[in-house]
Amino acid sequence: MRSRFDAFCKNVLRETLGLVGGADTQVEVIATSQTMDIWYVPDPARAALRAELGLLGELAAEPCQFEPFHDTPGPAELRGCVRKQLHWHHELERRAGGAVPFSRLCVLSSGRPATVLDAFGFDPVPGRPGLYRAAPGWRIDLVVIAELPRTRDTLLLRLLGARAVLRDAIRELVALPEDAWERSIALPWLVRLRFETPAEPSARTAEDAEEEEIVTEVQQWFEHLKQSLRDEARREGLNEGLQEGRKEGLQEGRKEGLQEGQLRVLARQFEKKLGRPLTDMEHSVLAERFERLGADRLDDAKLALPPEALAAWLADPTAR
């Protein structure tokens, strides 16, 4: 995976597929010392959840090798994917000590790889714009992300696209309800894009510059969201602080009440992100970090970390 956008695609894909089965990244193909981007095996017990994933859920109905390309692949890249598919099948049979079903390969391309489609005989799948399939014996699907319809059914896949497709998908993602599963998967990885070191200005291409604008837009959205959360915490904290201050009848009482109110609002926001109440220990940790690190750092952690990582952050005594 060459760029930060490639890594973003792989991480979002892995976490989404992890909802409905086992999804491993960088799986080594022993015979060639190559690695697959995603090797996925569905969990039969989570078939109903998989149906909620739209087109990606359909592609994930059986064991599959996923290879996302932020840049449109050519014939050489497809041959490399097929080589891994064949060697991985050989490795699976070696491990099983006998024949196993030939697993599917799914290539996700940001743009239309016309040469690949023509040279390898891909045909469009009826009723599924943007999805192409090679002859049955090859067991290869190819998704042209730029051709997918703009529906929620395809939103997660369009987030793996490039340039205007990615920009539009991000805007659709942000507009979803706060508890939408797509937000919980993709937003933390989008936020992390802003921490990646961009290329030197002299080495950037026009596409690099356009995608840098996307990262800037994500940063602006993130700062706006943080400010909204801070304003909400301050408003609620101020109301609670004034009530506490009136009870005390002192300026110091109002100040302490404001801080307590802000902390209570932050605790409720953390609980909403985690999907459960905070433990007594987590309440204590939150209060200590609110005092030591400030509300901005707590906002960063709450927005940028997925629930499991956020719980680990609260549990780590050395976390900052």
Side-chain angles (χ1 to χ4, degrees):
M1 305 295 282
R2 293 187 299 276
S3 75
R4 53 182 166 166
F5 282 94
D6 287 324
F8 165 74
C9 293
K10 181 174 65 176
N11 287 321
V12 170
L13 192 59
R14 181 199 65 221
E15 295 212 5
T16 304
L17 292 171
L19 295 173
V20 293
D24 298 320
T25 57
Q26 300 300 104
V27 176
E28 185 174 2
V29 181
I30 304 298
T32 59
S33 296
Q34 291 184 307
T35 57
M36 295 180 288
D37 287 337
I38 302 282
W39 168 245
Y40 161 81
V41 177
D43 181 352
R46 288 181 273 181
L49 179 57
R50 189 175 65 248
E52 299 178 12
L53 303 186
L55 176 57
L56 181 57
E58 294 180 23
L59 297 171
E62 59 182 288
C64 187
Q65 168 191 344
F66 285 92
E67 300 284 349
F69 286 88
H70 187 67
D71 296 324
T72 303
E77 285 78 15
L78 183 66
R79 283 192 290 270
C81 293
V82 172
R83 184 165 55 246
K84 289 185 284 185
Q85 179 192 28
L86 294 170
H87 283 137
W88 180 238
H89 178 249
H90 175 77
E91 174 63 16
L92 290 176
E93 290 195 323
R94 186 189 66 81
R95 294 180 185 183
V100 300
F102 189 49
S103 55
R104 184 171 294 280
L105 163 64
C106 183
V107 177
L108 307 173
S109 172
S110 60
R112 180 180 176 83
T115 303
V116 168
L117 294 174
D118 292 340
F120 291 87
F122 282 90
D123 291 320
V125 175
R128 272 304 189 186
L131 178 60
Y132 296 82
R133 190 159 287 160
W138 287 107
R139 293 183 57 76
I140 305 174
D141 290 335
L142 192 151
V143 178
V144 179
I145 295 173
E147 296 180 358
L148 294 175
R150 290 183 57 175
T151 62
R152 187 167 177 180
D153 180 63
T154 67
L155 176 56
L156 195 284
L157 286 170
R158 287 183 290 115
L159 282 168
L160 310 183
R163 295 173 285 284
V165 172
L166 173 59
R167 188 192 300 273
D168 290 343
I170 290 172
R171 291 169 179 169
E172 292 175 41
L173 179 75
V174 172
L176 288 177
E178 189 174 337
D179 60 352
W181 69 267
E182 295 96 334
R183 286 175 62 105
S184 66
I185 290 289
L187 284 180
W189 292 109
L190 279 172
V191 170
R192 293 181 197 191
L193 282 177
R194 67 194 179 108
F195 296 111
E196 299 288 343
T197 304
E200 290 296 325
S202 60
R204 292 180 186 171
T205 66
E207 290 182 359
D208 291 332
E210 185 172 357
E211 290 180 344
E212 196 61 41
E213 290 179 8
I214 293 175
V215 175
T216 300
E217 188 171 319
V218 170
Q219 169 73 3
Q220 292 171 345
W221 164 81
F222 180 69
E223 294 300 331
H224 175 74
L225 179 58
K226 281 206 305 181
Q227 186 60 49
S228 297
L229 291 172
R230 285 196 295 265
D231 290 345
E232 176 188 354
R234 287 186 182 121
R235 282 195 302 271
E236 295 193 28
L238 179 60
N239 290 335
E240 297 183 16
L242 288 173
Q243 293 173 4
E244 293 291 332
R246 290 191 188 100
K247 293 178 184 178
E248 297 291 333
L250 298 170
Q251 180 66 27
E252 187 64 26
R254 287 194 293 272
K255 179 179 178 181
E256 291 181 3
L258 174 60
Q259 292 175 338
E260 287 296 321
Q262 285 183 290
L263 185 56
R264 279 195 288 271
V265 173
L266 280 167
R268 288 197 293 270
Q269 292 171 344
F270 267 69
E271 289 177 335
K272 188 171 185 179
K273 180 67 176 284
L274 291 169
R276 59 169 177 79
L278 294 176
T279 65
D280 290 342
M281 179 62 72
E282 288 171 335
H283 273 290
S284 298
V285 170
L286 197 64
E288 186 275 331
R289 292 183 186 172
F290 177 76
E291 178 72 22
R292 178 167 56 90
L293 303 177
D296 278 358
R297 177 64 188 109
L298 269 59
D299 283 339
D300 281 344
K302 178 175 76 263
L303 292 170
L305 298 177
E308 289 185 3
L310 186 61
W313 182 79
L314 286 171
D316 183 358
T318 66
R320 297 187 59 84

